[in-house]
Amino acid sequence: MTKARARILYIDDEDNNLKAFKASFRRDFEIYTVSDANEAYRILDEIEIHVALADQRMPKVSGVEFFEKIQEKHPDIVRILITAYTNSQTIIDAVNKGKINQYVVKPWDPQNLKNIIDSSFNAHQVKKELKMKNAELLKTNDELNRFVYSASHDLRAPLMSILGLVELSRLEKESGDPFIYLDMIEKSVQKLDVFIQNIIEYYQNARAESNYEQIDFKVLVNDVVDTLKNTDPSVKFLLDIEQDCDYFNDEFRVHVIMNNLVSNAIKYQKSDAGNPEVSIQVKVDHQKAIIRIKDNGVGILQEHLENIFKMFFRTKTLNRTPGTGIGLYIIKEALSKINGEIQVNSVFGEGTTFELVLPNLEA
Amino acid sequence: MSTNPYIILVDDNEIDLFLHEKLIRLSGISDNIDRFTTAREALDFIRKKGPLPDIILLDIQMPELDGFDFLREYEHIEHIDRENTTIFMVSSSLDFGDISKAKANPLVKSFIKKPLNVKELKDEISTSAN
Protein backbone atom coordinates (compact mmCIF):
# COMPACT_ATOMS: atom_id res chain seq x y z
CA MET A 1 0.00 0.00 0.00
CA THR A 2 1.30 3.48 -0.82
CA LYS A 3 1.72 5.80 2.06
CA ALA A 4 -1.12 8.30 2.48
CA ARG A 5 -0.31 11.82 1.36
CA ALA A 6 -0.41 14.48 4.00
CA ARG A 7 -3.45 16.76 3.71
CA ILE A 8 -2.48 20.31 4.58
CA LEU A 9 -4.64 23.32 5.30
CA TYR A 10 -2.91 26.68 5.12
CA ILE A 11 -4.71 29.83 6.23
CA ASP A 12 -3.20 33.25 5.49
CA ASP A 13 -4.82 36.58 4.59
CA GLU A 14 -2.12 37.29 2.03
CA ASP A 15 -2.86 35.64 -1.24
CA ASN A 16 0.79 35.71 -2.33
CA ASN A 17 1.84 33.59 0.63
CA LEU A 18 -0.78 31.02 -0.22
CA LYS A 19 0.36 30.91 -3.83
CA ALA A 20 4.01 30.60 -2.86
CA PHE A 21 3.19 27.78 -0.47
CA LYS A 22 1.19 25.92 -3.06
CA ALA A 23 3.91 26.36 -5.66
CA SER A 24 6.57 24.99 -3.34
CA PHE A 25 4.71 21.98 -2.01
CA ARG A 26 2.00 20.92 -4.42
CA ARG A 27 4.05 17.89 -5.44
CA ASP A 28 4.56 16.80 -1.84
CA PHE A 29 1.21 17.31 -0.22
CA GLU A 30 -2.50 17.62 -0.86
CA ILE A 31 -2.95 21.30 -0.19
CA TYR A 32 -5.98 23.39 0.74
CA THR A 33 -5.38 27.12 0.99
CA VAL A 34 -7.83 29.65 2.37
CA SER A 35 -7.74 33.30 3.33
CA ASP A 36 -10.88 33.27 5.43
CA ALA A 37 -11.35 31.47 8.75
CA ASN A 38 -14.97 30.50 8.05
CA GLU A 39 -13.87 28.83 4.85
CA ALA A 40 -11.23 26.97 6.87
CA TYR A 41 -13.81 25.70 9.39
CA ARG A 42 -15.94 24.42 6.54
CA ILE A 43 -13.04 22.52 4.99
CA LEU A 44 -12.05 21.03 8.36
CA ASP A 45 -15.59 19.72 8.78
CA GLU A 46 -15.63 18.12 5.36
CA ILE A 47 -12.09 16.86 4.85
CA GLU A 48 -9.82 15.01 7.20
CA ILE A 49 -6.93 17.45 7.43
CA HIS A 50 -3.70 16.19 9.00
CA VAL A 51 -1.69 19.36 9.42
CA ALA A 52 -2.90 22.97 9.67
CA LEU A 53 -0.69 26.01 9.18
CA ALA A 54 -1.86 29.49 10.11
CA ASP A 55 -0.38 32.90 9.80
CA GLN A 56 -0.46 34.68 13.15
CA ARG A 57 -1.25 38.14 11.80
CA MET A 58 -4.62 38.12 10.13
CA PRO A 59 -7.21 40.92 10.27
CA LYS A 60 -10.29 39.08 11.63
CA VAL A 61 -8.92 36.12 13.52
CA SER A 62 -5.31 35.66 14.63
CA GLY A 63 -3.55 32.35 14.04
CA VAL A 64 -3.62 31.58 17.77
CA GLU A 65 -7.36 32.34 17.97
CA PHE A 66 -7.94 30.15 14.95
CA PHE A 67 -6.15 27.21 16.56
CA GLU A 68 -7.91 27.81 19.84
CA LYS A 69 -11.22 27.64 18.06
CA ILE A 70 -10.55 24.37 16.21
CA GLN A 71 -9.02 22.73 19.29
CA GLU A 72 -12.18 21.09 20.58
CA LYS A 73 -13.62 19.88 17.31
CA HIS A 74 -10.38 18.75 15.69
CA PRO A 75 -7.99 17.86 18.48
CA ASP A 76 -5.87 15.55 16.34
CA ILE A 77 -4.73 18.07 13.76
CA VAL A 78 -1.11 19.07 14.05
CA ARG A 79 -0.94 22.86 14.38
CA ILE A 80 1.86 25.03 12.97
CA LEU A 81 1.93 28.76 13.55
CA ILE A 82 3.74 30.96 11.06
CA THR A 83 4.77 34.41 12.08
CA ALA A 84 7.28 37.13 11.33
CA TYR A 85 7.13 38.55 14.81
CA THR A 86 8.61 36.77 17.76
CA ASN A 87 6.77 38.57 20.45
CA SER A 88 6.96 36.55 23.66
CA GLN A 89 3.30 37.01 24.59
CA THR A 90 2.32 35.61 21.20
CA ILE A 91 4.53 32.59 21.81
CA ILE A 92 3.04 32.02 25.26
CA ASP A 93 -0.51 32.29 23.90
CA ALA A 94 0.36 30.08 20.96
CA VAL A 95 1.52 27.32 23.26
CA ASN A 96 -1.02 27.69 26.04
CA LYS A 97 -4.15 28.65 24.15
CA GLY A 98 -3.51 27.58 20.58
CA LYS A 99 -1.82 24.34 21.66
CA ILE A 100 0.49 24.64 18.70
CA ASN A 101 2.96 21.91 17.87
CA GLN A 102 5.42 23.95 15.84
CA TYR A 103 6.42 27.56 15.50
CA VAL A 104 7.78 28.68 12.12
CA VAL A 105 9.40 32.03 11.55
CA LYS A 106 8.86 33.95 8.36
CA PRO A 107 10.28 33.97 5.81
CA TRP A 108 10.30 30.22 5.75
CA ASP A 109 12.83 28.08 4.03
CA PRO A 110 11.08 25.50 1.79
CA GLN A 111 13.28 22.56 2.73
CA ASN A 112 13.05 23.32 6.41
CA LEU A 113 9.27 23.79 6.29
CA LYS A 114 8.89 20.57 4.31
CA ASN A 115 10.79 18.69 7.00
CA ILE A 116 8.60 20.21 9.68
CA ILE A 117 5.42 19.26 7.83
CA ASP A 118 6.73 15.74 7.17
CA SER A 119 7.51 15.10 10.79
CA SER A 120 4.22 16.68 11.84
CA PHE A 121 2.36 14.39 9.50
CA ASN A 122 4.23 11.41 10.90
CA ALA A 123 3.31 12.46 14.41
CA HIS A 124 -0.30 12.73 13.30
CA GLN A 125 -0.27 9.26 11.78
CA VAL A 126 1.30 7.75 14.88
CA LYS A 127 -1.32 9.39 17.05
CA LYS A 128 -4.08 8.16 14.79
CA GLU A 129 -2.73 4.64 14.75
CA LEU A 130 -2.47 4.70 18.53
CA LYS A 131 -6.10 5.73 18.74
CA MET A 132 -7.14 2.90 16.45
CA LYS A 133 -5.09 0.39 18.42
CA ASN A 134 -6.68 1.68 21.57
CA ALA A 135 -10.18 1.22 20.20
CA GLU A 136 -9.20 -2.27 19.08
CA LEU A 137 -7.88 -3.04 22.55
CA LEU A 138 -11.06 -1.83 24.19
CA LYS A 139 -13.05 -4.09 21.90
CA THR A 140 -10.80 -7.07 22.58
CA ASN A 141 -11.06 -6.42 26.27
CA ASP A 142 -14.81 -6.29 26.12
CA GLU A 143 -14.88 -9.52 24.12
CA LEU A 144 -12.57 -11.15 26.61
CA ASN A 145 -14.84 -10.20 29.49
CA ARG A 146 -17.86 -11.58 27.69
CA PHE A 147 -15.89 -14.64 26.78
CA VAL A 148 -14.78 -15.40 30.32
CA TYR A 149 -18.32 -14.90 31.58
CA SER A 150 -19.82 -17.06 28.88
CA ALA A 151 -17.10 -19.69 29.10
CA SER A 152 -17.70 -20.03 32.79
CA HIS A 153 -21.15 -21.17 31.84
CA ASP A 154 -20.98 -22.66 28.37
CA LEU A 155 -17.83 -24.66 28.86
CA ARG A 156 -18.78 -25.91 32.30
CA ALA A 157 -22.49 -26.55 31.90
CA PRO A 158 -22.18 -29.65 29.68
CA LEU A 159 -19.41 -31.01 31.89
CA MET A 160 -21.53 -30.55 34.99
CA SER A 161 -24.40 -32.34 33.24
CA ILE A 162 -22.09 -35.25 32.54
CA LEU A 163 -20.84 -35.34 36.13
CA GLY A 164 -24.44 -35.32 37.29
CA LEU A 165 -25.27 -38.25 35.02
CA VAL A 166 -22.27 -40.16 36.36
CA GLU A 167 -23.46 -39.51 39.89
CA LEU A 168 -26.93 -40.66 38.94
CA SER A 169 -25.74 -43.93 37.40
CA ARG A 170 -23.75 -44.58 40.56
CA LEU A 171 -26.85 -44.06 42.70
CA GLU A 172 -28.83 -46.36 40.47
CA LYS A 173 -26.17 -49.00 40.06
CA GLU A 174 -28.11 -51.77 41.74
CA SER A 175 -31.41 -51.13 40.06
CA GLY A 176 -30.84 -49.42 36.76
CA ASP A 177 -28.89 -49.71 33.58
CA PRO A 178 -26.23 -46.97 33.46
CA PHE A 179 -25.93 -47.25 29.68
CA ILE A 180 -29.21 -45.45 29.18
CA TYR A 181 -27.40 -42.22 30.07
CA LEU A 182 -24.82 -42.57 27.32
CA ASP A 183 -27.02 -40.72 24.84
CA MET A 184 -27.30 -37.80 27.19
CA ILE A 185 -23.59 -37.79 27.87
CA GLU A 186 -22.99 -37.82 24.13
CA LYS A 187 -25.30 -34.84 23.66
CA SER A 188 -23.49 -32.88 26.33
CA VAL A 189 -20.12 -33.66 24.80
CA GLN A 190 -21.34 -32.55 21.37
CA LYS A 191 -22.65 -29.31 22.81
CA LEU A 192 -19.33 -28.59 24.40
CA ASP A 193 -17.52 -29.47 21.21
CA VAL A 194 -19.66 -27.11 19.13
CA PHE A 195 -18.87 -24.32 21.53
CA ILE A 196 -15.14 -25.01 21.38
CA GLN A 197 -15.20 -25.23 17.58
CA ASN A 198 -17.00 -21.91 17.39
CA ILE A 199 -14.47 -20.25 19.62
CA ILE A 200 -11.61 -21.60 17.51
CA GLU A 201 -13.32 -20.43 14.34
CA TYR A 202 -13.83 -17.01 15.84
CA TYR A 203 -10.19 -16.60 16.79
CA GLN A 204 -8.98 -17.93 13.44
CA ASN A 205 -11.16 -15.39 11.74
CA ALA A 206 -9.99 -12.59 13.99
CA ARG A 207 -6.31 -13.34 13.44
CA ALA A 208 -5.97 -14.72 9.92
CA GLU A 209 -4.48 -12.48 7.25
CA SER A 210 -6.70 -11.90 4.25
CA ASN A 211 -5.78 -14.08 1.35
CA TYR A 212 -7.47 -13.37 -1.95
CA GLU A 213 -8.21 -16.35 -4.09
CA GLN A 214 -10.43 -17.25 -6.97
CA ILE A 215 -13.71 -18.64 -5.74
CA ASP A 216 -16.00 -20.94 -7.65
CA PHE A 217 -19.32 -20.63 -5.84
CA LYS A 218 -20.65 -23.90 -7.28
CA VAL A 219 -17.80 -25.76 -5.60
CA LEU A 220 -17.95 -23.74 -2.40
CA VAL A 221 -21.70 -24.00 -1.90
CA ASN A 222 -21.75 -27.72 -2.69
CA ASP A 223 -18.94 -28.25 -0.26
CA VAL A 224 -20.80 -26.38 2.50
CA VAL A 225 -24.04 -28.23 1.81
CA ASP A 226 -22.32 -31.62 1.65
CA THR A 227 -20.71 -31.22 5.04
CA LEU A 228 -23.86 -29.93 6.69
CA LYS A 229 -26.68 -31.91 5.14
CA ASN A 230 -26.14 -34.89 7.43
CA THR A 231 -26.98 -32.84 10.50
CA ASP A 232 -30.61 -32.98 9.37
CA PRO A 233 -31.28 -35.27 6.41
CA SER A 234 -34.92 -34.13 6.14
CA VAL A 235 -33.94 -30.66 4.92
CA LYS A 236 -34.29 -30.11 1.18
CA PHE A 237 -31.72 -27.85 -0.47
CA LEU A 238 -32.54 -25.67 -3.47
CA LEU A 239 -29.43 -24.30 -5.15
CA ASP A 240 -29.39 -21.61 -7.81
CA ILE A 241 -25.90 -20.47 -8.65
CA GLU A 242 -25.14 -18.09 -11.49
CA GLN A 243 -21.48 -17.36 -11.98
CA ASP A 244 -20.29 -16.40 -15.46
CA CYS A 245 -17.17 -14.52 -14.46
CA ASP A 246 -14.17 -14.93 -12.20
CA TYR A 247 -14.63 -13.98 -8.61
CA PHE A 248 -11.91 -13.17 -6.11
CA ASN A 249 -12.16 -12.82 -2.38
CA ASP A 250 -10.91 -14.30 0.85
CA GLU A 251 -12.02 -17.90 0.47
CA PHE A 252 -11.55 -18.82 4.12
CA ARG A 253 -13.85 -16.05 5.30
CA VAL A 254 -16.45 -16.53 2.59
CA HIS A 255 -16.51 -20.18 3.58
CA VAL A 256 -16.88 -19.35 7.28
CA ILE A 257 -19.75 -16.98 6.53
CA MET A 258 -21.60 -19.43 4.28
CA ASN A 259 -21.02 -22.29 6.66
CA ASN A 260 -22.48 -20.46 9.63
CA LEU A 261 -25.49 -19.15 7.71
CA VAL A 262 -26.37 -22.49 6.16
CA SER A 263 -25.82 -24.28 9.45
CA ASN A 264 -28.23 -21.84 11.14
CA ALA A 265 -30.78 -22.31 8.38
CA ILE A 266 -30.70 -26.05 9.05
CA LYS A 267 -30.61 -25.79 12.83
CA TYR A 268 -33.49 -23.38 13.23
CA GLN A 269 -36.07 -25.41 11.39
CA LYS A 270 -39.47 -25.97 12.91
CA SER A 271 -39.51 -29.25 14.78
CA ASP A 272 -42.85 -30.24 13.28
CA ALA A 273 -42.39 -28.89 9.75
CA GLY A 274 -43.29 -31.28 6.97
CA ASN A 275 -41.14 -29.69 4.29
CA PRO A 276 -38.03 -28.06 5.73
CA GLU A 277 -36.26 -26.17 2.96
CA VAL A 278 -33.11 -24.12 2.60
CA SER A 279 -32.59 -22.23 -0.62
CA ILE A 280 -29.24 -20.78 -1.57
CA GLN A 281 -29.08 -18.32 -4.43
CA VAL A 282 -25.83 -16.84 -5.70
CA LYS A 283 -25.41 -14.22 -8.43
CA VAL A 284 -21.93 -13.14 -9.37
CA ASP A 285 -20.85 -10.23 -11.55
CA HIS A 286 -17.62 -8.25 -11.95
CA GLN A 287 -18.37 -6.01 -8.99
CA LYS A 288 -19.92 -8.32 -6.44
CA ALA A 289 -21.54 -11.54 -5.43
CA ILE A 290 -25.09 -11.42 -4.08
CA ILE A 291 -25.97 -14.39 -1.93
CA ARG A 292 -29.40 -15.15 -0.57
CA ILE A 293 -29.91 -17.87 2.03
CA LYS A 294 -33.52 -18.49 2.78
CA ASP A 295 -35.17 -20.97 5.12
CA ASN A 296 -38.73 -21.74 6.15
CA GLY A 297 -37.72 -22.26 9.76
CA VAL A 298 -38.71 -20.75 13.07
CA GLY A 299 -37.84 -17.16 12.19
CA ILE A 300 -36.57 -14.43 14.48
CA LEU A 301 -38.68 -12.08 16.57
CA GLN A 302 -38.52 -8.46 15.33
CA GLU A 303 -37.34 -7.28 18.74
CA HIS A 304 -34.33 -9.57 18.52
CA LEU A 305 -33.22 -8.69 15.00
CA GLU A 306 -30.96 -5.86 16.09
CA ASN A 307 -29.23 -8.01 18.68
CA ILE A 308 -28.56 -11.16 16.74
CA PHE A 309 -25.08 -10.08 15.63
CA LYS A 310 -23.88 -9.43 19.16
CA MET A 311 -21.48 -11.83 20.77
CA PHE A 312 -23.15 -14.45 22.94
CA PHE A 313 -26.65 -13.21 22.21
CA ARG A 314 -29.14 -16.01 21.77
CA THR A 315 -32.84 -16.24 21.66
CA LYS A 316 -35.17 -18.89 22.83
CA THR A 317 -36.37 -20.72 19.77
CA LEU A 318 -39.49 -22.68 19.14
CA ASN A 319 -37.73 -25.99 18.88
CA ARG A 320 -35.36 -25.09 21.69
CA THR A 321 -32.14 -25.68 19.87
CA PRO A 322 -29.88 -23.45 21.85
CA GLY A 323 -27.12 -21.76 19.90
CA THR A 324 -23.79 -20.75 21.31
CA GLY A 325 -24.31 -17.09 20.48
CA ILE A 326 -21.13 -16.95 18.45
CA GLY A 327 -22.08 -17.93 14.89
CA LEU A 328 -23.60 -14.65 13.73
CA TYR A 329 -20.96 -12.69 15.55
CA ILE A 330 -18.30 -14.58 13.60
CA ILE A 331 -20.16 -13.76 10.40
CA LYS A 332 -20.24 -10.08 11.21
CA GLU A 333 -16.54 -10.02 12.06
CA ALA A 334 -15.64 -11.93 8.90
CA LEU A 335 -17.77 -9.55 6.81
CA SER A 336 -16.06 -6.51 8.25
CA LYS A 337 -12.70 -7.99 7.19
CA ILE A 338 -13.79 -8.45 3.58
CA ASN A 339 -16.01 -5.34 3.34
CA GLY A 340 -19.14 -7.37 2.86
CA GLU A 341 -22.65 -6.44 3.89
CA ILE A 342 -25.46 -8.43 5.35
CA GLN A 343 -29.18 -7.88 5.65
CA VAL A 344 -31.72 -9.99 7.38
CA ASN A 345 -35.44 -10.35 6.90
CA SER A 346 -37.45 -12.60 9.10
CA VAL A 347 -41.01 -13.43 9.95
CA PHE A 348 -41.38 -15.19 13.29
CA GLY A 349 -42.74 -18.66 12.71
CA GLU A 350 -42.30 -18.48 8.94
CA GLY A 351 -38.63 -18.23 8.13
CA THR A 352 -35.57 -16.10 7.68
CA THR A 353 -33.68 -14.70 4.69
CA PHE A 354 -30.12 -13.47 4.91
CA GLU A 355 -28.80 -11.47 1.99
CA LEU A 356 -25.08 -10.95 1.54
CA VAL A 357 -23.27 -8.60 -0.79
CA LEU A 358 -19.59 -9.49 -1.09
CA PRO A 359 -17.30 -7.37 -3.27
CA ASN A 360 -15.53 -9.00 -6.20
CA LEU A 361 -11.86 -8.20 -5.72
CA GLU A 362 -11.00 -9.15 -9.27
CA ALA A 363 -7.63 -7.54 -9.87
CA MET B 1 -42.20 -28.22 55.19
CA SER B 2 -44.22 -31.21 54.23
CA THR B 3 -42.57 -34.59 53.94
CA ASN B 4 -43.19 -34.76 50.25
CA PRO B 5 -42.61 -31.13 49.18
CA TYR B 6 -43.92 -29.86 45.87
CA ILE B 7 -40.85 -28.88 43.87
CA ILE B 8 -40.60 -27.02 40.57
CA LEU B 9 -37.47 -27.02 38.44
CA VAL B 10 -36.68 -24.15 36.08
CA ASP B 11 -33.79 -24.81 33.70
CA ASP B 12 -33.26 -24.41 29.95
CA ASN B 13 -31.07 -27.50 29.87
CA GLU B 14 -33.27 -30.55 29.34
CA ILE B 15 -30.59 -32.95 30.51
CA ASP B 16 -30.23 -31.13 33.81
CA LEU B 17 -34.00 -31.10 34.28
CA PHE B 18 -34.13 -34.84 33.77
CA LEU B 19 -31.13 -35.32 36.04
CA HIS B 20 -32.43 -33.15 38.85
CA GLU B 21 -35.85 -34.72 38.80
CA LYS B 22 -34.30 -38.19 38.96
CA LEU B 23 -31.92 -37.25 41.77
CA ILE B 24 -34.72 -35.71 43.83
CA ARG B 25 -36.89 -38.77 43.36
CA LEU B 26 -34.12 -41.28 44.03
CA SER B 27 -32.94 -39.52 47.16
CA GLY B 28 -36.44 -39.64 48.51
CA ILE B 29 -36.72 -35.87 48.88
CA SER B 30 -39.91 -35.76 46.86
CA ASP B 31 -41.83 -37.31 44.02
CA ASN B 32 -44.00 -34.29 43.49
CA ILE B 33 -42.07 -32.42 40.81
CA ASP B 34 -42.84 -30.15 37.83
CA ARG B 35 -40.32 -28.99 35.23
CA PHE B 36 -40.16 -25.82 33.14
CA THR B 37 -37.67 -25.10 30.38
CA THR B 38 -38.18 -21.33 30.48
CA ALA B 39 -38.59 -18.78 33.25
CA ARG B 40 -41.60 -17.42 31.36
CA GLU B 41 -43.50 -20.71 31.55
CA ALA B 42 -42.73 -21.09 35.25
CA LEU B 43 -43.95 -17.55 35.98
CA ASP B 44 -47.15 -18.11 34.03
CA PHE B 45 -47.73 -21.28 35.98
CA ILE B 46 -47.26 -19.52 39.34
CA ARG B 47 -49.53 -16.66 38.27
CA LYS B 48 -52.34 -19.12 37.61
CA LYS B 49 -52.53 -19.56 41.36
CA GLY B 50 -52.60 -23.30 41.34
CA PRO B 51 -50.83 -25.04 44.14
CA LEU B 52 -47.74 -22.98 44.96
CA PRO B 53 -44.46 -24.87 45.09
CA ASP B 54 -42.70 -25.47 48.38
CA ILE B 55 -39.37 -25.34 46.63
CA ILE B 56 -38.11 -23.78 43.40
CA LEU B 57 -34.78 -24.84 41.92
CA LEU B 58 -33.92 -21.96 39.63
CA ASP B 59 -31.15 -22.00 37.03
CA ILE B 60 -29.28 -18.72 36.55
CA GLN B 61 -28.20 -18.57 32.91
CA MET B 62 -31.12 -19.04 30.56
CA PRO B 63 -31.89 -17.28 27.28
CA GLU B 64 -34.55 -14.54 27.26
CA LEU B 65 -35.40 -14.36 30.96
CA ASP B 66 -32.59 -15.55 33.17
CA GLY B 67 -32.88 -16.59 36.82
CA PHE B 68 -32.57 -13.03 38.07
CA ASP B 69 -35.26 -11.81 35.68
CA PHE B 70 -37.46 -14.57 37.03
CA LEU B 71 -36.93 -13.31 40.59
CA ARG B 72 -37.74 -9.71 39.63
CA GLU B 73 -41.06 -10.76 38.14
CA TYR B 74 -41.82 -13.31 40.81
CA GLU B 75 -41.40 -10.66 43.49
CA HIS B 76 -44.21 -8.62 41.97
CA ILE B 77 -46.79 -11.30 41.35
CA GLU B 78 -49.84 -10.16 43.28
CA HIS B 79 -51.95 -12.17 45.69
CA ILE B 80 -49.62 -15.07 46.19
CA ASP B 81 -48.10 -16.12 49.46
CA ARG B 82 -44.34 -16.20 48.99
CA GLU B 83 -43.75 -17.11 52.63
CA ASN B 84 -44.02 -20.84 52.13
CA THR B 85 -41.89 -21.11 49.01
CA THR B 86 -38.14 -21.58 49.26
CA ILE B 87 -36.01 -20.70 46.26
CA PHE B 88 -32.61 -22.18 45.55
CA MET B 89 -30.52 -20.90 42.68
CA VAL B 90 -28.65 -23.59 40.82
CA SER B 91 -25.87 -23.02 38.33
CA SER B 92 -22.63 -24.32 36.91
CA SER B 93 -21.44 -20.71 36.79
CA LEU B 94 -18.24 -19.85 38.59
CA ASP B 95 -18.84 -16.19 37.94
CA PHE B 96 -18.30 -14.33 41.16
CA GLY B 97 -20.85 -11.69 40.21
CA ASP B 98 -23.57 -14.28 39.58
CA ILE B 99 -22.88 -16.14 42.80
CA SER B 100 -22.81 -13.09 45.04
CA LYS B 101 -25.88 -11.67 43.32
CA ALA B 102 -27.72 -14.92 43.99
CA LYS B 103 -26.62 -15.03 47.61
CA ALA B 104 -27.53 -11.39 48.19
CA ASN B 105 -31.07 -11.75 46.90
CA PRO B 106 -33.48 -11.95 49.86
CA LEU B 107 -35.76 -14.26 47.91
CA VAL B 108 -33.02 -16.83 47.49
CA LYS B 109 -32.35 -19.27 50.29
CA SER B 110 -28.99 -20.32 48.94
CA PHE B 111 -26.87 -20.91 45.88
CA ILE B 112 -26.25 -24.52 44.92
CA LYS B 113 -23.67 -25.39 42.32
CA LYS B 114 -24.11 -27.95 39.60
CA PRO B 115 -23.74 -30.87 39.46
CA LEU B 116 -26.43 -31.18 42.07
CA ASN B 117 -25.23 -33.16 45.04
CA VAL B 118 -28.02 -35.11 46.68
CA LYS B 119 -26.67 -34.82 50.19
CA GLU B 120 -26.12 -31.08 49.85
CA LEU B 121 -29.63 -30.60 48.53
CA LYS B 122 -31.13 -32.66 51.35
CA ASP B 123 -29.21 -30.65 53.94
CA GLU B 124 -30.27 -27.37 52.40
CA ILE B 125 -33.90 -28.40 52.32
CA SER B 126 -33.92 -29.66 55.89
CA THR B 127 -32.29 -26.47 57.21
CA SER B 128 -34.80 -24.38 55.31
CA ALA B 129 -37.61 -26.34 56.93
CA ASN B 130 -36.44 -25.31 60.40
Side-chain angles (χ1 to χ4, degrees), chain A residues 125-341:
Chain A
Q125 295 301 89
V126 167
K127 212 166 152 188
K128 193 171 143 192
E129 201 175 312
L130 201 65
K131 251 190 168 170
M132 267 164 57
K133 292 274 177 211
N134 237 331
E136 219 172 89
L137 265 178
L138 280 174
K139 183 172 162 255
T140 312
N141 225 340
D142 180 55
E143 280 173 0
L144 197 65
N145 280 336
R146 284 158 175 266
F147 174 70
V148 170
Y149 179 77
S150 180
S152 117
H153 180 255
D154 290 343
L155 289 176
R156 279 198 99 232
L159 288 177
M160 295 309 107
S161 297
I162 294 170
L163 274 183
L165 290 165
V166 170
E167 159 95 357
L168 181 60
S169 23
R170 220 177 258 141
L171 277 172
E172 282 190 319
K173 68 176 170 231
E174 288 99 35
S175 54
D177 173 8
F179 291 106
I180 60 166
Y181 302 127
L182 286 181
D183 280 356
M184 285 186 209
I185 290 178
E186 188 184 18
K187 243 185 224 158
S188 289
V189 171
Q190 280 165 347
K191 203 168 162 184
L192 186 56
D193 191 40
V194 167
F195 185 77
I196 292 169
Q197 282 181 21
N198 274 331
I199 292 287
I200 291 170
E201 205 174 50
Y202 167 71
Y203 278 97
Q204 274 176 347
N205 173 54
R207 304 283 165 259
E209 294 286 321
S210 289
N211 192 8
Y212 298 109
E213 290 154 285
Q214 192 167 344
I215 298 176
D216 181 341
F217 275 99
K218 273 204 178 94
V219 175
L220 187 136
V221 170
N222 276 315
D223 183 38
V224 167
V225 170
D226 276 347
T227 10
L228 291 171
K229 68 181 177 202
N230 292 329
T231 54
D232 185 349
S234 69
V235 175
K236 199 173 133 201
F237 290 91
L238 305 166
L239 307 184
D240 173 14
I241 294 154
E242 272 178 52
Q243 178 171 10
D244 302 321
C245 61
D246 288 347
Y247 179 85
F248 286 85
N249 208 322
D250 183 335
E251 190 177 8
F252 168 70
R253 292 200 166 89
V254 175
H255 201 279
V256 163
I257 292 165
M258 293 295 287
N259 205 46
N260 273 290
L261 285 175
V262 175
S263 153
N264 278 352
I266 297 170
K267 190 164 30 166
Y268 297 108
Q269 281 295 340
K270 286 174 254 188
S271 46
D272 55 349
N275 57 337
E277 260 178 23
V278 174
S279 89
I280 303 170
Q281 206 182 61
V282 182
K283 264 201 184 121
V284 183
D285 62 32
H286 291 284
Q287 279 77 43
K288 63 195 179 297
I290 298 176
I291 301 162
R292 226 170 262 128
I293 297 170
K294 188 176 170 207
D295 65 60
N296 56 356
V298 295
I300 304 164
L301 284 172
Q302 278 309 311
E303 68 215 64
H304 290 151
L305 279 179
E306 59 185 279
N307 287 322
I308 55 174
F309 291 104
K310 289 184 184 156
M311 193 180 209
F312 298 127
F313 179 84
R314 44 193 141 177
T315 65
K316 181 183 84 87
T317 54
L318 289 177
N319 64 350
R320 303 214 177 94
T321 313
T324 57
I326 303 177
L328 285 174
Y329 186 74
I330 293 174
I331 293 172
K332 199 193 79 186
E333 289 289 292
L335 282 169
S336 78
K337 302 248 180 200
I338 63 171
N339 292 321
E341 283 166 29

Side-chain angles (χ1 to χ4, degrees), chain B residues 32-73:
Chain B
N32 189 9
I33 304 162
D34 272 319
R35 316 171 357 173
F36 298 93
T37 51
T38 67
R40 171 68 55 218
E41 286 165 311
L43 285 164
D44 288 346
F45 176 80
I46 292 168
R47 277 203 192 89
K48 279 190 196 129
K49 283 182 259 162
L52 287 172
D54 299 305
I55 293 167
I56 301 174
L57 289 192
L58 180 62
D59 184 27
I60 294 183
Q61 277 159 314
M62 296 181 280
E64 302 252 315
L65 296 184
D66 66 13
F68 297 113
D69 297 327
F70 173 94
L71 291 173
R72 265 188 292 278
E73 285 202 29

